[in-house]
Amino acid sequence: MYGTIRVELSSERKAKPSVDTGLAFGKYFTDHMFMMNYSEGSGWHDPRIVPYAPITLDPSAMVFHYGQAIFEGLKAYRSPDKSSVYLFRPDKNAARLNQSCERLSMPSIDEAFFVEALQSLVRIDADWIPESEGTSLYIRPFIISTEAGLGVRPSSEYLFAVIMSPVGSYYEEGIHPVAIHVETHYTRAAVGGMGYAKAAGNYAGSLKAQMLAKEYNCSQVLWLDAAEKKYLEEVGSMNVFFKLGGEIVTPKLNGSILDGVTRNSVMQLLASWGMPVTERRISMDEIAAAFANGTLEEAFGTGTAAVISPIGSLHWNDQTMSINVGQTGPLTERLYNTLTGIQNGKIEDPFGWNVRC
Ligand SMILES: *Cc1c(COP(=O)(O)O)cnc(C)c1O
């Protein structure tokens, strides 16, 4: 597609972090990285796997000034017998990467090639995939604009890179629900903006509210829609689901919500269990009413890092709404066990989600 992937192996291998120390998220990186450059005229070229190392950019590189930067996140898992390695639904990340590219006027990447690049890199650094229960290798593909110059327009040069980091189990001490601050002033994304793209800038804009939530002793922010501050969008950098009087609901994708792979997987799983999810608008008033009449049964966030993250309470203006007495609900727990079971190969994968490296 873009030429064969050139491989330059590292002459030195780094010491691997001990899994017993908890493996802080995204702190340790493997020995190699994937890189490929784009320039107008040549298109994507020189795909290569090289030793993990700092990169050099001109100080006027457009990414520093106008923020054309997007990323993806997915995990590689080792099978229980340790003999094989799987990526979880990498085709979904490939498709979403290109949606993000389109939104930020960046050049797309062939989706089959994207998956091939990931597979090649994982194979080379396979000994970095931790083996113990619940661990995995987090894969971070990203694209940045690299053309030197301050003119405001889409860059004519880009770098696509993939780095990888071994991660421990998200729930070292077991899965436990978290307190969520409903943010009524700051917003993450607006319809017409780039909320549906996995753009670095969306994260930059979310940090302040995240810090405020911490001050209120909450671990994440629940984002409301930018126009009316009435309707739920996402929780932190996760999609959000509720069980309200037996109905399972999640906010309908509207352009400001990111289309999560975990969200999609949860919806497919629930449908296969005869529990279809309704995608629709959900207002905070509706959640408060459900809390008042005792039908706010369960709530959880979904995303690659934590997979399923139960919500124990919502803090909205002066109101505190406890959910399932702050315990992980039965449906939340079943989803967590099934999805992580499929991912780490302990449960059969009826959907064909796991892709062998
Ligand atoms: C990445 C991300 C998610 C979760 O997507 P997954 O594909 O499930 O990991 C949700 N919301 C935002 C804003 C994200 O950036």
Side-chain angles (χ1 to χ4, degrees):
M1 169 56 61
Y2 304 123
T4 44
I5 300 171
R6 172 166 68 83
V7 178
E8 181 193 328
L9 292 180
S10 171
S11 55
E12 276 168 62
R13 298 297 157 102
K14 293 184 268 198
K16 297 188 177 58
S18 154
V19 187
D20 308 324
T21 56
L23 279 183
F25 178 80
K27 191 162 180 246
Y28 305 97
F29 293 95
T30 67
D31 287 312
H32 299 90
M33 59 185 181
F34 177 91
M35 291 201 151
M36 176 163 81
N37 296 86
Y38 176 94
S39 51
E40 248 167 49
S42 322
W44 287 111
H45 60 273
D46 194 18
R48 56 202 187 273
I49 290 171
V50 293
Y52 186 98
I55 54 179
T56 307
L57 291 176
D58 193 284
S60 73
M62 286 182 170
V63 66
F64 297 135
H65 307 277
Y66 309 126
Q68 274 179 297
I70 59 164
F71 67 95
E72 271 303 324
L74 71 161
K75 285 175 174 172
Y77 299 86
R78 212 178 262 291
S79 62
D81 66 1
K82 324 260 186 252
S83 67
S84 33
V85 173
Y86 293 94
L87 298 174
F88 185 72
R89 310 190 74 182
D91 49 309
K92 298 290 277 180
N93 298 93
R96 189 171 64 192
L97 180 88
N98 281 340
Q99 278 168 22
S100 301
C101 284
E102 198 280 327
R103 179 63 186 83
L104 276 85
S105 303
M106 299 163 84
S108 63
I109 291 181
D110 179 81
E111 293 175 16
F113 183 86
F114 171 90
V115 175
E116 224 176 275
L118 265 46
Q119 287 168 316
S120 306
L121 183 62
V122 169
R123 268 186 243 123
I124 283 180
D125 278 340
D127 57 341
W128 279 86
I129 309 175
E131 294 197 352
S132 55
E133 179 86 33
T135 60
S136 59
L137 186 66
Y138 182 78
I139 306 172
R140 169 55 63 88
F142 61 102
I143 306 179
I144 55 171
S145 55
T146 54
E147 183 187 343
L150 300 180
V152 181
R153 54 175 170 72
S155 173
S156 65
E157 292 169 11
Y158 296 88
L159 172 70
F160 169 57
V162 186
I163 56 177
M164 307 197 294
S165 173
V167 291
S169 175
Y170 202 84
Y171 298 106
E172 291 288 334
E173 282 103 37
I175 182 165
H176 65 95
V178 293
I180 301 293
H181 171 70
V182 182
E183 177 56 53
T184 52
H185 177 68
Y186 296 105
T187 53
R188 191 192 80 88
V191 174
M194 53 184 193
Y196 69 88
K198 219 168 167 69
N202 290 336
Y203 279 70
S206 75
L207 300 175
K208 189 175 174 71
Q210 173 66 32
M211 297 307 288
L212 278 173
K214 290 257 145 79
E215 280 178 29
Y216 299 126
N217 291 317
C218 289
S219 64
Q220 293 286 347
V221 173
L222 190 125
W223 299 106
L224 300 179
D225 74 285
E228 297 179 74
K229 311 269 167 52
K230 266 176 83 167
Y231 299 99
L232 314 193
E233 300 234 311
E234 302 202 44
V235 56
S237 50
M238 290 182 287
N239 296 112
V240 69
F241 287 75
F242 286 85
K243 185 157 173 270
L244 305 172
E247 183 193 20
I248 306 165
V249 295
T250 192
K252 187 181 169 72
L253 301 178
N254 60 352
S256 58
I257 294 172
L258 191 106
D259 184 2
V261 178
T262 320
R263 175 186 185 274
N264 179 277
S265 307
V266 161
M267 291 201 304
Q268 281 196 51
L269 258 184
L270 285 168
S272 77
W273 295 346
M275 292 187 259
V277 177
T278 316
E279 295 178 80
R280 60 170 174 81
R281 290 214 295 191
I282 307 160
S283 70
M284 268 316 291
D285 287 333
E286 180 185 355
I287 297 294
F291 174 69
N293 66 27
T295 54
L296 178 52
E297 296 171 66
E298 298 189 36
F300 55 90
T302 65
T304 294
V307 187
I308 304 283
S309 178
I311 297 173
S313 61
L314 290 176
H315 302 255
W316 183 41
N317 298 323
D318 298 329
Q319 215 185 334
T320 294
M321 295 173 250
S322 167
I323 302 173
N324 194 45
V325 292
Q327 303 295 306
T328 304
L331 184 69
T332 307
E333 180 137 4
R334 183 178 173 202
L335 282 166
Y336 178 78
N337 290 336
T338 309
L339 204 48
T340 55
I342 291 173
Q343 289 172 332
N344 58 39
K346 285 205 180 136
I347 295 178
E348 203 218 329
D349 168 22
F351 304 97
W353 284 339
N354 294 321
V355 173
R356 209 187 178 114
C357 276

